[in-house]
Structures are given as structure tokens and as C-alpha cells.
């Protein structure tokens, strides 16, 4: 178990906060401030309680110091999010960083330069971790989305300073715990996306955890092919047919019901204004490709979910980026959102495409919890231990 923010007496103390400010940006302008906005709650709480708040993060994948990956452009949007001027340090360690942190007054916030400017960060170097630790009295990890990386600022620091989970980290872990670790049953999972090969561990873990596993997107094509159905020109990993059959067998042994499309939307190309038709999965034309689950499939999914108490969602049911291949995803998302608002379904979703699909359907805010963590969310669904979470639970 890990400490939470309210268990730290932070007044007058330097608190190192590992946030995830690796936000989408173009030409120095933030194009999606969601991660900044979510991080603000922890920073504001600490500042309000009189902490001297020191924010660490990475941005991009720089190879050493690189002005193109400087985080200085985040000072203004972060200042706006927390409602006060955020001070800036040109490095995350060293004399200048120490001088700025040492000058902080109670309730002030500063942002350190990109921790990945130092290769020791990703190497989880203990000497570098001690340099970071010298800047703080407490360590708060608020970056679940980075918890699957054993880096100096996400793992080693938790062993060097008294540590706790931030508000965002706590909310994420509580939501995920309710979804799979101690869920209200029956539990369903929707797993979509293009390839089975990228989600083998996820599928293997979920069939032992959920009552219904709904498979959509290009992944479903591989399962349909494994059952002997023709999939035309569809995206399909034919070489994984045996693997798909093994997953089906494992699901049967675990009494997990796998739900596959019964009808599909096909077209001769993936593009706007493509001519489409709805066909049975037993009648996919050779010259067509499957681009969405059909209306009967969407109804069947909703019917299955009708008796469920918990839903975990990762990946769309079709090529939702282009109309009309978003219909099945939208239909199920809207239904699940309404059920959530009624208090009849706990819904936890995550993964980049999933967040985009729910936002496109206009229901992101109605789900119980939508995780912005990509890789960490997937690894958690796969049942893997996340180094950042393990370190927090062990603590200093």
C-alpha cells in the first residue's frame, strides 16, 4: 500500500512532484492541455498547504540537451492551470536548480527542465537520483502514465525520500482497482485496435479476469479468420490464427465469453465517401475490407453489457477516425455513458485511440474514469507490475 498526499505534513517543505507534462504540442503551442489540467489538482493542493512545490517531468525523447525538447514553453500553460506564476529552472539538477529551489517560499511552484536531458534518467542511475533527491524533502509521484518505466524520477526517488501518490495517481489506481482487482461483477472488457500481436498479453490476462471479452477493430478480423471465415481484403494477421484459437480455448476454460462481430460494415477502400454495405461475417466479399462492426453486432454488445456492472474499455470497434466507420463505437459508447450516468455501470477506459473515440462520441466526461496513460494503462491491463507503483508501495 502507498501513502497518499494527505498523509504528508508539507508546510514549509520542498516537495518533488513527478508529473507527466509530455503533452501534444506544435510550434511551441500546447494542442491538448489535458495532462497539464489533471496535474494541476495535486500542485494546487500542495501549494495551498504551504509546500514549496518542485515539478519534474520529461518531454519527448531527446538524446541529451536539445532546445527542441525544452519544457520552458510549458511555464505559461502550467501557470494558467494552477492559477499562479510558475518559476522556471534551466536544469533539473545542479547549482542553478538548487539555487531556485532554495529560494522558493511557502506555496510557490517551480518547474524543472526536462529530466531526459540527462541520459542517467532513463538508466535509473542512483547518483542522478540522489542529485534529484537533494532538491526535496518529500517525493510525490503523480505520473501513472510513466509508472511502467523504471527511471530515476519515477522509481529510484521513491526509495530516497518519504513518498506518496499524488491526487491523479491515487484516482487512477483507485479506478483501476475497482475495474479489475476488486470489481463488481459481472465484468466486461472491450478490446479493439488493429492488431492482435500488440495485445496478446492483454487478452491472455483479461480472459482470466472478466466474464465477457468483446473484441473489435482489426483484431476481430484475425479471430474471425481463425474460425474459418473469409475476411476479404481486411487487415488480418493470418499468421496468428493458431494464437487466436489458443486465446479462445483459454477463454472457454476460464468461463469467459468472447463476443465477436456477427455483422460488419465493409467497403472497397478506407476513405471518406467510400461506398459501404453491411454484411454477415459469413458473407464478406473477396474485394472488400471490414472497417466497422455492424448494427446487429453493436446491439449484441449492448445486450451483453446490459447485465454487467463493470466495463473496461481499450480500443475502438472500428476505424472510427472516418465517418461512417465510427457508428458501432459511438453506439456502444453512448449507451455505456448513459448507463454510467444512471449509476448502473462503472466504466473505466484508456489508451490513446480509446480516449479519442470517446471524445469524438461526446461521452468522455460521462465515463467513470478515462485514463490518459497509454503504455502504463496497457501494462496494467496485462497484469504486469509497474515499477513506479511498486516503488511507491515500498517507499522510503
Amino acid at each position: 500500500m502507498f501513502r497518499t498526499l494527505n498523509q504528508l505534513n508539507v508546510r514549509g517543505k520542498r516537495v518533488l512532484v513527478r508529473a507527466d507534462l509530455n503533452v501534444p504540442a506544435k510550434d511551441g503551442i500546447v494542442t491538448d492541455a489535458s495532462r497539464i489540467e489533471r496535474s494541476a489538482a495535486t500542485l494546487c493542493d500542495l501549494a495551498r498547504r504551504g509546500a514549496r512545490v518542485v515539478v519534474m517531468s520529461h518531454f519527448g525523447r531527446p538524446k541529451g540537451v536539445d532546445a527542441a525538447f525544452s519544457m520552458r514553453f510549458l511555464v505559461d500553460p502550467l501557470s494558467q492551470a494552477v492559477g499562479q506564476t510558475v518559476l522556471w529552472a534551466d536544469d533539473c539538477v545542479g547549482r542553478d536548480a538548487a539555487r531556485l529551489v532554495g529560494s522558493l517560499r511557502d506555496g510557490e511552484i517551480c518547474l524543472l527542465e526536462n529530466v531526459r536531458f540527462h541520459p542517467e534518467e532513463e538508466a535509473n542511475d542512483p547518483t542522478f537520483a540522489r542529485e534529484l533527491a537533494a532538491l526535496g524533502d518529500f517525493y510525490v509521484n503523480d505520473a501513472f502514465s510513466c509508472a511502467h518505466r523504471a527511471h530515476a524520477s519515477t522509481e529510484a526517488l521513491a526509495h530516497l525520500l518519504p513518498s506518496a501518490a499524488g491526487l491523479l495517481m491515487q484516482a487512477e489506481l483507485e479506478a483501476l482497482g475497482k475495474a479489475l482487482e476488486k470489481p463488481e461483477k459481472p465484468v466486461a472488457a472491450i478490446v479493439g485496435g488493429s492488431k492482435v500481436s500488440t495485445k496478446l498479453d492483454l487478452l491472455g490476462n483479461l480472459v482470466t479476469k472478466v466474464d465477457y471479452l468483446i473484441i473489435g477493430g482489426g483484431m476481430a478480423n484475425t479471430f474471425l479468420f481463425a474460425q474459418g471465415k473469409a475476411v476479404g481484403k481486411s487487415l488480418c494477421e493470418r499468421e496468428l490464427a493458431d494464437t487466436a484459437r489458443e486465446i479462445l480455448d483459454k477463454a472457454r476454460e476460464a468461463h469467459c465469453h468472447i463476443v465477436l462481430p456477427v455483422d460488419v460494415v465493409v467497403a472497397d477502400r478506407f476513405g471518406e465517401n467510400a461506398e459501404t454495405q453491411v454484411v454477415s461475417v459469413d458473407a464478406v466479399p473477396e474485394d472488400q475490407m471490414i472497417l466497422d462492426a455492424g448494427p446487429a453486432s453493436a446491439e449484441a454488445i449492448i445486450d451483453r453489457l446490459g447485465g454487467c456492472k463493470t466495463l473496461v474499455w481499450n480500443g475502438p470497434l472500428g476505424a472510427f477516425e472516418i465517418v461512417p466507420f465510427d457508428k458501432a463505437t459511438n453506439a456502444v459508447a453512448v449507451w455505456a455513458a448513459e448507463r454510467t450516468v444512471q449509476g448502473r455501470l462503472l466504466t473505466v477506459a484508456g489508451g490513446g485511440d480509446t480516449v479519442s473515440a470517446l471524445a469524438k462520441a461526446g461521452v468522455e466526461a460521462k465515463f467513470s474514469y478515462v485514463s490518459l496513460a497509454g503504455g502504463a494503462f496497457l501494462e496494467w491491463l496485462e497484469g504486469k507490475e509497474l515499477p513506479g507503483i511498486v516503488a511507491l508501495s515500498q517507499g522510503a
Side-chain angles (χ1 to χ4, degrees):
M1 192 57 188
F2 51 85
R3 278 189 291 250
T4 54
L5 217 56
N6 59 7
Q7 293 175 282
L8 301 182
N9 182 10
V10 298
R11 182 164 299 280
K13 302 295 186 181
R14 302 166 302 159
V15 182
L16 281 173
V17 180
R18 180 46 160 106
D20 184 3
L21 305 180
N22 187 31
V23 296
K26 185 176 182 180
D27 301 325
I29 304 295
V30 175
T31 56
D32 182 351
S34 300
R35 282 183 170 171
I36 295 174
E37 291 161 359
R38 288 197 183 190
S39 296
T42 290
L43 306 182
C44 290
D45 181 80
L46 288 168
R48 179 183 55 78
R49 291 163 56 199
R52 302 171 184 188
V53 185
V54 184
V55 186
M56 304 173 294
S57 180
H58 74 284
F59 177 71
R61 297 181 177 274
K63 302 299 181 185
V65 177
D66 185 340
F69 294 97
S70 172
M71 290 172 45
R72 188 165 198 145
F73 78 102
L74 294 173
V75 169
D76 285 345
L78 186 59
S79 297
Q80 291 173 23
V82 298
Q84 65 168 282
T85 299
V86 172
L87 304 174
W88 168 252
D90 285 322
D91 201 351
C92 61
V93 292
R95 189 176 302 168
D96 290 343
R99 186 181 297 120
L100 176 63
V101 172
S103 72
L104 288 177
R105 293 176 294 185
D106 294 1
E108 288 190 324
I109 301 172
C110 75
L111 175 63
L112 304 181
E113 180 59 283
N114 198 334
V115 290
R116 286 192 183 173
F117 279 1
H118 298 264
E120 297 89 347
E121 157 69 3
E122 293 183 83
N124 203 15
D125 181 78
T127 301
F128 179 66
R130 284 193 291 272
E131 288 185 72
L132 289 172
L135 299 175
D137 301 300
F138 293 113
Y139 168 69
V140 170
N141 192 340
D142 209 29
F144 175 82
S145 46
C146 305
H148 59 313
R149 306 294 188 202
H151 293 171
S153 69
T154 61
E155 198 273 342
L157 269 176
H159 300 291
L160 298 174
L161 293 171
S163 57
L167 298 177
L168 178 57
M169 173 75 84
Q170 182 182 349
E172 189 106 27
L173 292 176
E174 287 175 352
L176 298 183
K178 288 178 183 176
L180 277 190
E181 289 170 13
K182 295 180 180 178
E184 190 174 353
K185 296 194 170 188
V187 185
I190 295 176
V191 179
S194 58
K195 294 184 176 181
V196 173
S197 55
T198 61
K199 297 189 177 181
L200 286 175
D201 290 343
L202 183 154
L203 294 171
N205 184 51
L206 285 181
V207 295
T208 66
K209 298 272 190 178
V210 303
D211 301 290
Y212 299 100
L213 177 57
I214 298 154
I215 299 176
M219 297 174 59
N221 303 338
T222 301
F223 280 87
L224 292 172
F225 176 79
Q227 293 181 331
K229 301 184 188 300
V231 294
K233 298 194 302 179
S234 308
L235 176 65
C236 177
E237 294 175 290
R238 290 169 170 78
E239 71 280 6
L240 290 181
D242 287 342
T243 303
R245 285 188 283 267
E246 288 171 9
I247 292 171
L248 291 169
D249 289 341
K250 186 176 181 180
R252 274 191 291 272
E253 291 170 9
H255 305 291
C256 168
H257 302 278
I258 287 190
V259 180
L260 292 167
V262 293
D263 66 340
V264 290
V265 178
V266 298
D268 61 356
R269 62 186 176 86
F270 176 47
E272 293 182 4
N273 303 315
E275 194 170 313
T276 66
Q277 58 179 316
V278 176
V279 299
S280 162
V281 291
D282 295 308
V284 176
E286 287 185 13
D287 62 343
Q288 301 279 296
M289 61 179 70
I290 299 169
L291 291 168
D292 195 13
S297 297
E299 287 180 19
I301 291 169
I302 289 170
D303 184 60
R304 288 285 192 181
L305 294 178
C308 292
K309 298 291 187 180
T310 305
L311 171 63
V312 180
W313 192 332
N314 174 254
L317 297 172
F320 75 98
E321 301 92 341
I322 294 180
V323 176
F325 309 121
D326 58 348
K327 285 186 178 179
T329 300
N330 289 350
V332 177
V334 168
W335 181 90
E338 290 174 353
R339 197 86 166 179
T340 304
V341 171
Q342 294 165 3
R344 301 167 71 184
L345 184 67
L346 174 80
T347 46
V348 175
D353 283 347
T354 315
V355 177
S356 299
L358 296 181
K360 190 169 183 280
V363 299
E364 182 183 359
K366 295 181 180 180
F367 270 51
S368 305
Y369 192 82
V370 177
S371 172
L372 299 181
F377 183 79
L378 275 178
E379 290 198 18
W380 179 83
L381 286 181
E382 291 166 0
K384 295 178 180 176
E385 286 194 328
L386 307 186
I389 307 303
V390 173
L392 264 189
S393 62
Q394 294 170 342

